[in-house]
Amino acid sequence: TQTVSQSDAHVTVFEGDSVELRCNYSYGGSIYLSWYIQHHGRGLQFLLKYYSGNPVVQGVNGFEAEFSKSDSSFHLRKASVHWSDSAVYFCAVTGGSGNKLIFGTGTLLSVKP
Amino acid sequence: AQTIHQWPVAEIKAVGSPLSLGCTIKGKSSPNLYWYWQATGGTLQQLFYSITVGQVESVVQLNLSASRPKDDQFILSTEKLLLSHSGFYLCAWSLGGGSDYTFGSGTRLLVI
């Protein structure tokens, strides 16, 4: 059974700060890990994903995430946030078939000016 | 370019009334299609997926049904709405495997 946990429900930072949003997963086989962003009242947009290779993957708008098998983690980072990064961020995991994309509970990122 | 369109944008419906939500994907042949439900402030729960016309797999039973009458169309429906059906419904497509999902703009449903 695949599970995804996001331990922080709400993270608040100031514009220009760095931020890390945490994601931990559990799964016994090969998986794809991804991050999605949801601005208020909108659909989800894909940010980035990892399957194999370099554990640090780059995404859109300066986001990157690092996969750690030992920690079962896939944390999302950004070096300098902008107010427009305020949104809910979802970590997700899917198995080989890709037919069941399971989401975490989401982290609301609030960026203050 | 591929586009995904959901309709209606929003609905207010009475308990016990029927519901039909639609999703159309243009510019992609034989995509995998998905329905998700999101409670207000909550996470996304996958409801159904379909990898081909006429075949739909149920992931969670919420007194809803789904159909794929055409390659580019995915319909979510029920004959009797419950209060618990309120929320945000999202349609998505992917190419399967590890490819990313592309989501529609969603339909906001309020059942009263």
Side-chain angles (χ1 to χ4, degrees):
Chain A
T1 302
Q2 306 156 2
T3 63
V4 182
S5 65
Q6 294 179 247
S7 54
D8 300 313
H10 193 182
V11 172
T12 301
V13 296
F14 288 94
E15 200 165 26
D17 284 352
S18 63
V19 69
E20 179 177 85
L21 305 182
R22 293 180 291 183
C23 172
N24 290 89
Y25 67 92
S26 66
Y27 187 70
S30 298
I31 56 171
Y32 298 87
L33 291 158
S34 51
W35 280 94
Y36 287 77
I37 179 174
Q38 184 179 35
H39 287 101
H40 182 68
R42 312 283 289 276
L44 275 73
Q45 289 179 287
F46 171 77
L47 277 180
L48 48 74
K49 72 177 176 187
Y50 171 83
Y51 175 64
S52 65
N54 189 336
V56 179
V57 291
Q58 305 295 323
V60 298
N61 295 333
F63 284 97
E64 67 174 29
E66 183 167 4
F67 168 75
S68 171
K69 187 173 183 179
S70 59
D71 294 339
S72 296
S73 67
F74 189 55
H75 302 329
L76 182 71
R77 301 188 296 243
K78 187 168 183 178
S80 178
V81 295
H82 187 263
W83 64 267
S84 61
D85 293 324
S86 296
V88 180
Y89 292 78
F90 289 97
C91 183
V93 62
T94 185
S97 71
N99 287 328
K100 293 184 181 180
L101 186 64
I102 296 172
F103 288 90
T105 51
T107 298
L108 173 61
L109 175 64
S110 296
V111 181
K112 293 187 173 182
Chain B
Q2 304 89 17
T3 60
I4 178 168
H5 175 61
Q6 286 189 244
W7 73 93
V9 173
E11 280 261 54
I12 300 176
K13 303 276 283 187
V15 170
S17 64
L19 174 77
S20 181
L21 304 180
C23 175
T24 298
I25 292 84
K26 295 299 183 187
K28 180 59 63 178
S29 179
S30 302
N32 291 0
L33 300 176
Y34 311 89
W35 276 112
Y36 279 82
W37 172 76
Q38 184 180 33
T40 301
T43 190
L44 294 100
Q45 174 68 64
Q46 188 175 16
L47 301 176
F48 300 94
Y49 71 89
S50 171
I51 59 174
T52 190
V53 174
Q55 291 186 12
V56 176
E57 300 295 328
S58 172
V59 179
V60 173
Q61 290 291 336
L62 287 181
N63 293 306
L64 295 167
S65 61
S67 64
R68 187 171 178 176
K70 302 179 186 177
D71 185 54
D72 64 353
Q73 196 173 75
F74 207 20
I75 307 296
L76 184 70
S77 61
T78 183
E79 292 186 359
K80 287 186 177 182
L81 279 165
L82 307 172
L83 287 174
S84 58
H85 286 136
S86 293
F88 196 41
Y89 289 83
L90 288 157
C91 178
W93 70 267
S94 81
L95 296 177
S99 60
D100 51 279
Y101 284 34
T102 300
F103 286 83
S105 299
T107 295
R108 194 160 300 282
L109 173 67
L110 177 62
V111 182
I112 56 174

